[in-house]
């Protein structure tokens, strides 16, 4: 290589600056070293995706911090800046908390995943194959099969095993009332997502009927699970939103949220976060790495990042 004189180096530096300025006007702002705070909730895809996104940010030189957070209260935490992002804003369970916080000022909509969602009561396919509730998945079948779904704790009624109450609040008890099913069915809340998967396994082993809360995208997409078809959702149909409550859950969106300062403090990370977009298959895979393959969440994320560089690396460029 040819040695350069100090003068020619200076000329090169000056030329470089001039050409950069002439293209961009100003140099790019560097991202802050303050940590990007990512919430951890209580279902598998969300936790794996938290570490996937954190890993992506770290690959760009950002600092990241993970905090356990309530999945409703998190939107207020994003609004006031204690948490930076939410990467799985599910319409049915969290749409209201998300928009309530946005209306107060400080939360931005950072885009929508390709995956569409459903968060609904349903049955494993073998319940239908064994004809334990003839007429399913139409909800009206529930008027006539509750005796096949009683449990020790259900007081003679059929049991709906809902997820933790922090997800859907009183939606399901209110829906049973509204649809005239409350004298035949009762809602029990699971302590956590794992209790739903345990119930699916034990009901299958015991050959008894079971109705559980579930969602898609999830690892059960690959397993054979049928969601019950309730009267269609329309905005405002729920009791909590002033409606008569006679509706199922929306075929919904899955959004990303951020604190309003994030684009300013971490422009590169924010840009990548807005480009980031997961499909039904990808989110189902993230859940399956934990719930089917039994990896821990961090190992699942590390594997996902390694196997999918062609998916996420372009978002960082
Ligand atoms: C929020 N969830 C996906 C568990 O319904």
């Amino acid at each position: 290589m040819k040695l350069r004189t100090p003068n020619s180096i200076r000329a090169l530096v000056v030329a470089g600056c001039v050409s950069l300025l002439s293209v961009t006007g100003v140099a790019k702002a560097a991202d802050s070293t303050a940590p990007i705070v990512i919430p951890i909730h209580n279902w598998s895809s969300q936790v794996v995706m938290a570490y996937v996104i954190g890993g992506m940010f770290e690959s760009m030189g950002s600092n990241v911090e993970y905090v356990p957070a309530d999945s409703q209260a998190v939107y207020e935490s994003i609004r006031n800046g204690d948490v930076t992002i939410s990467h799985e804003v599910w319409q049915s369970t969290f749409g209201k908390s998300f928009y309530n916080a946005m209306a107060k000022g400080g939360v931005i909509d950072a885009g929508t995943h390709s995956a569409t969602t459903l968060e609904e009561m349903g049955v494993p396919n073998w319940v239908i194959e064994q004809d334990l509730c003839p007429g399913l998945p139409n909800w009206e079948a529930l008027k006539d099969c509750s005796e096949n779904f009683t449990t020790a704790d259900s007081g003679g009624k059929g049991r709906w095993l809902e997820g933790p109450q922090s997800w859907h609040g009183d939606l399901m008890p209110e829906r049973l009332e509204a649809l005239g099913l409350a004298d035949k069915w009762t809602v029990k809340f699971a302590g956590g997502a794992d209790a739903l998967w345990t119930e699916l396994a034990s009901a299958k082993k015991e050959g008894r009927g079971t109705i559980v809360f579930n969602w898609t995208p999830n690892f059960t997409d690959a397993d054979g699970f049928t969601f019950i078809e309730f009267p269609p959702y329309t905005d405002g149909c729920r009791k909590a939103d002033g409606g008569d409550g006679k509706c199922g859950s929306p075929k919904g969106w899955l959004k990303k949220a951020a604190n309003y300062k994030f684009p300013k403090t971490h422009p590169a990370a924010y840009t990548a976060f807005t480009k980031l977009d997961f499909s039904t298959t990808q989110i189902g895979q993230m859940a399956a790495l934990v719930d089917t393959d039994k990896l821990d969440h961090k190992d699942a994320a590390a594997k996902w990042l390694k196997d999918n560089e062609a998916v996420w690396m372009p978002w960082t460029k």
Side-chain angles (χ1 to χ4, degrees):
M1 199 177 102
K2 198 179 145 213
L3 282 174
R4 296 183 197 284
T5 64
N7 266 346
S8 70
I9 290 174
R10 193 173 309 123
L12 276 173
V13 169
V14 169
C17 286
V18 167
S19 68
L20 185 68
L21 279 171
S22 65
V23 173
T24 64
V26 287
K28 272 195 193 174
D31 279 21
S32 164
T33 55
I36 299 167
V37 181
I38 303 177
I40 301 284
H41 298 314
N42 54 355
W43 64 96
S44 299
S45 69
Q46 196 277 345
V47 184
V48 174
M49 200 190 293
Y51 295 125
V52 163
I53 295 173
M56 178 186 81
F57 288 154
E58 281 175 343
S59 82
M60 302 172 72
S62 285
N63 293 309
V64 171
E65 202 175 286
Y66 302 96
V67 292
D70 175 82
S71 53
Q72 302 291 348
V74 73
Y75 299 101
E76 181 62 18
S77 303
I78 293 169
R79 194 182 76 79
N80 66 32
D82 290 342
V83 171
T84 314
I85 61 166
S86 169
H87 49 277
E88 281 193 17
V89 188
W90 293 67
Q91 180 180 353
S92 181
T93 39
F94 312 129
K96 194 169 177 173
S97 296
F98 168 62
Y99 280 121
N100 281 348
M102 186 184 286
K104 289 205 234 164
V107 174
I108 54 182
D109 180 334
T112 305
H113 291 281
S114 295
T116 55
T117 59
L118 182 62
E119 304 171 78
E120 188 57 280
M121 304 304 301
V123 296
N125 285 356
W126 55 268
V127 166
I128 294 183
E129 285 149 20
Q130 293 181 21
D131 216 19
L132 294 174
C133 189
L136 281 184
N138 185 321
W139 74 273
E140 295 192 73
L142 298 172
K143 293 172 181 172
D144 233 3
C145 66
S146 61
E147 62 280 0
N148 290 335
F149 298 84
T150 58
T151 53
D153 60 349
S154 68
K157 298 181 179 182
R159 184 185 68 170
W160 278 14
L161 186 62
E162 224 310 26
Q165 202 164 7
S166 59
W167 292 346
H168 256 150
D170 288 326
L171 176 76
M172 295 305 174
E174 287 168 357
R175 187 190 294 176
L176 280 179
E177 281 291 338
L179 293 174
L181 296 171
D183 56 336
K184 300 235 166 115
W185 297 88
T186 188
V187 171
K188 297 284 169 186
F189 293 97
D194 280 345
L196 302 172
W197 321 140
T198 303
E199 164 64 8
L200 288 178
S202 54
K204 183 172 191 178
K205 208 162 134 202
E206 295 160 25
R208 61 178 167 80
T210 189
I211 294 187
V212 303
F213 177 73
N214 195 358
W215 55 92
T216 178
N218 200 359
F219 74 95
T220 46
D221 294 344
D223 274 12
F225 187 89
T226 301
F227 291 99
I228 297 171
E229 291 166 10
F230 291 95
Y233 176 89
T234 52
D235 282 338
C237 70
R238 292 178 169 176
K239 274 265 153 69
D241 299 326
D244 65 13
K246 297 181 185 178
C247 59
S249 299
K251 292 188 168 46
W253 40 250
L254 186 66
K255 282 186 182 290
K256 297 167 287 175
N259 175 264
Y260 73 114
K261 290 180 182 161
F262 186 39
K264 189 78 182 167
T265 57
H266 299 76
Y270 176 74
T271 302
F273 185 56
T274 65
K275 291 179 182 171
L276 174 146
D277 166 18
F278 292 122
S279 67
T280 295
T281 304
Q282 289 164 337
I283 296 170
Q285 282 169 347
M286 290 182 206
L289 286 169
V290 172
D291 291 316
T292 309
D293 303 340
K294 309 296 178 194
L295 296 185
D296 81 23
H297 298 98
K298 282 186 182 161
D299 290 347
K303 176 169 169 50
W304 199 91
L305 283 167
K306 189 163 160 279
D307 292 348
N308 292 277
E309 286 184 349
V311 173
W312 64 267
M313 276 195 176
W315 298 331
T316 68
K317 301 281 155 48

